[in-house]
Amino acid sequence: MATTSLPRTSNRSAVIAALLSGADMDRQRLIAETGLSRATVFRIVDDLMTESLALEGVRVLREGPGRQSTSVSFNHRSALVCGVDLGGTNCRVVVADALGRALIRSRDTTPRDASAGELAAWVAGRITDLVDRHGDGVPLHTVTIGLPGVVTGDGRSVVASHNLGQIKGTGFIETVSSLLGVETAVGNDSNLALRGELQYGSLPDRETAVLLAMGTGLGSAVSIDGQVLLGRTGLLGEFGRLPLPGREERLRDLLSGADLVAYARGRGVRVPTARALFEDPEAYAPLLAEVHGALAHLVTVVALAYEPGTVVLTGGFSESFDTARLTAISDQVADTVGVRSVVRRSDLGDSAGLLGSMASSLGRLYDSLGVSAEDAASVAVDRTLIIRRLADCPTAPTAPTTPTAPTADPADTTPRSTHDEQMAEG
């Protein structure tokens, strides 16, 4: 039995991967694309239909001898997946079908003053409500949550979070997983944003790339040969912790929205948002010169560490840097250390993290169906369609920002975070 089960599993993987493009195709095309025998393809398709994973489509008209056949497609309604981008300012959620086509999305203000248990209950409640209201009875299979903090490689614990200090430890992860009742994966938001760029953006698959996530906080991620690197402790790429040369301030103090505003006020410059600084460059020229210098220093560090072909910037704060400024930084780094990296803003904007979380959930769904990693990587994803469906799908009304206490973890005694506690994290 052991000698025959592996080929059967591999054959099934190849057929499902071919169908995951979302296109209707007849069995003859499946035979051609997979290289499998006619009998094997027909048997696997019959099995998939029995499991409600494949659907019979329209009749395909053929010229010449041989029986006519019907098209086959993957059943996109076989399961739902969910991606979450939980930030220090906003929480974005998308619920999609089994082909990654968005059905409903939401964007709400993150209840930053909630305890770990309350925040977990709020996130789980938001996801459950979206699925109940818009999932049309299709079961939810997997949820992936991107967190603004240092997450261990196994996804079981948050080492630190500068902007959501209450999620530190295991309490938040354990509670939200228990409340959702489905497979729940957790990862660093920058790593997931880079996965989104690799899956749906324009980054070359085999090029070394670095992503700098510049929003309420500062994060980074790196990929080599299309694989996002994960450190055991989660500290890999946490360059925001580095002090500026000869100074006490860290890189994140000048390259993240919340910290830059605090830094400016400490210098006697009172501005409501980081964006306001960039909107009046003449008035804030000295401070902006520090920001540009900090970004050049950060790009220099990652250039020497990884020699990336591309450094892509994402997050709301990154939108303040125009193309000319980024090109100048790229030239400056090349002249200084001899590494030429194209520095540019993200194609996906602030959707990168959400798409990366969704891609992670899809990957786990396909793995559960027996699709190998090699076959999953070969799926012909219609990137334009996925991005358009996310942009065009309905947006749910804003959720209340006052969370309720969770019911699954009555022993949760995590204290509410304070600004001082958040600043002490890492």
Side-chain angles (χ1 to χ4, degrees), residues 13 16 19 172 192 205 226 369 384 398:
S13 171
I16 296 177
L19 293 173
F172 171 83
L192 289 167
D205 292 338
L369 298 178
T384 301
T398 303

Side-chain angles (χ1 to χ4, degrees), residues 94-112:
V94 62
V95 176
D97 66 19
L99 293 175
R101 298 179 295 198
L103 303 176
I104 187 68
R105 60 176 175 153
S106 65
R107 176 172 177 158
D108 303 297
T109 300
T110 302
R112 293 182 60 170

Side-chain angles (χ1 to χ4, degrees), residues 229-248:
L229 298 185
L230 299 177
R232 178 180 58 82
T233 63
L235 289 170
L236 179 72
E238 286 293 314
F239 297 112
R241 294 169 169 240
L242 290 176
L244 290 161
R247 301 172 56 175
E248 295 182 357

Side-chain angles (χ1 to χ4, degrees), residues 13 15-23 25 74 98-99 362 365-366 369 371 375-376 379-382:
S13 171
V15 172
I16 296 177
L19 293 173
L20 286 176
S21 67
M25 57 181 72
F74 187 80
L99 293 175
L362 286 171
L365 170 62
Y366 300 159
L369 298 178
V371 181
D375 285 333
V379 174
V381 177
D382 188 337

